[in-house]
Amino acid sequence: MLKRTVLAVALGVALAAAGVAAAAAVTHQGSASSSATAGRVTLHQTKIGKVLATSSGRTLYLFMKDKNGRSACYGQCASYWPPLMKKGTLRAGAGVKASLLGTTKRKNGKRQVTYKGHPLYVFTSDTGAGQISGQRQNFFGGKWYAVSATGSANKLAPPTGGGTTTSTTTTGTTDCGIYGCP
């Protein structure tokens, strides 16, 4: 009986330690991806054509819910769609119009990069250059689109097999992304 109790306590301690380590890793991962920074905005080739990207080639998106140059993406939204924050002097890469680059102030007072007045974001599931898994997603109350060089939403659908799932509902078809439909 004592042997079982000791074993149960040891197992409980081990599981608790593993849980704390996992929680710390998740917290660190969440804080590391809470924003992206940029000094330079570029154009990058994707499966839907050339779109705005960070200097490392990560696709930049606009959120249709944003109004009047102000971000509507905070909290959990910003953990999946980190805002592109200004770092140093903003520079335009080849094909990007410097006159369309700007910033908007977020609730915390920091400056988010804009293009033609649209606040810019990256998508956490886009881990490499040219990926567009956020394209046409409908999350957090609005659609997300990659940004064209003119500053408008590129509304082209990614080629099939791009890692998204589709769900048919009574109100129509919804793109649910790699996380599936809520």
Side-chain angles (χ1 to χ4, degrees), residues 37-104:
T37 58
R40 187 169 150 211
V41 175
T42 65
L43 274 182
H44 202 85
Q45 185 64 41
T46 69
K47 292 179 180 181
I48 57 169
K50 287 188 175 185
V51 298
L52 294 186
T54 64
S55 58
S56 63
R58 285 188 70 191
T59 300
L60 293 171
Y61 297 90
L62 60 80
F63 185 32
M64 297 303 286
K65 190 175 177 182
D66 291 344
K67 299 291 181 219
N68 303 318
R70 299 262 186 222
S71 176
C73 183
Y74 288 92
Q76 187 177 12
C77 175
S79 69
Y80 287 100
W81 298 90
L84 184 66
M85 304 305 292
K86 181 180 184 246
K87 180 180 179 183
T89 303
L90 288 179
R91 296 184 319 267
V96 176
K97 296 179 183 175
S99 62
L100 298 181
L101 282 171
T103 62
T104 188

Side-chain angles (χ1 to χ4, degrees), residues 152-174:
S152 61
N154 177 331
K155 294 186 177 183
L156 295 175
T160 57
T164 62
T165 58
T166 301
S167 169
T168 304
T169 65
T170 56
T171 59
T173 300
T174 304

Side-chain angles (χ1 to χ4, degrees), residues 43-54 57-62 81 121-139 144-148 154-165 175-179:
L43 274 182
H44 202 85
Q45 185 64 41
T46 69
K47 292 179 180 181
I48 57 169
K50 287 188 175 185
V51 298
L52 294 186
T54 64
R58 285 188 70 191
T59 300
L60 293 171
Y61 297 90
L62 60 80
W81 298 90
Y121 307 85
V122 294
F123 185 45
T124 55
S125 290
D126 289 345
T127 57
Q131 294 179 347
I132 53 168
S133 57
Q135 179 67 358
R136 296 172 48 139
Q137 297 299 327
N138 189 359
F139 288 117
W144 296 86
Y145 296 103
V147 185
S148 72
N154 177 331
K155 294 186 177 183
L156 295 175
T160 57
T164 62
T165 58
D175 293 327
C176 297
I178 60 173
Y179 299 112

Side-chain angles (χ1 to χ4, degrees), residues 1-10:
M1 177 89 159
L2 180 62
K3 190 174 182 180
R4 276 191 214 158
T5 304
V6 171
L7 184 56
V9 169

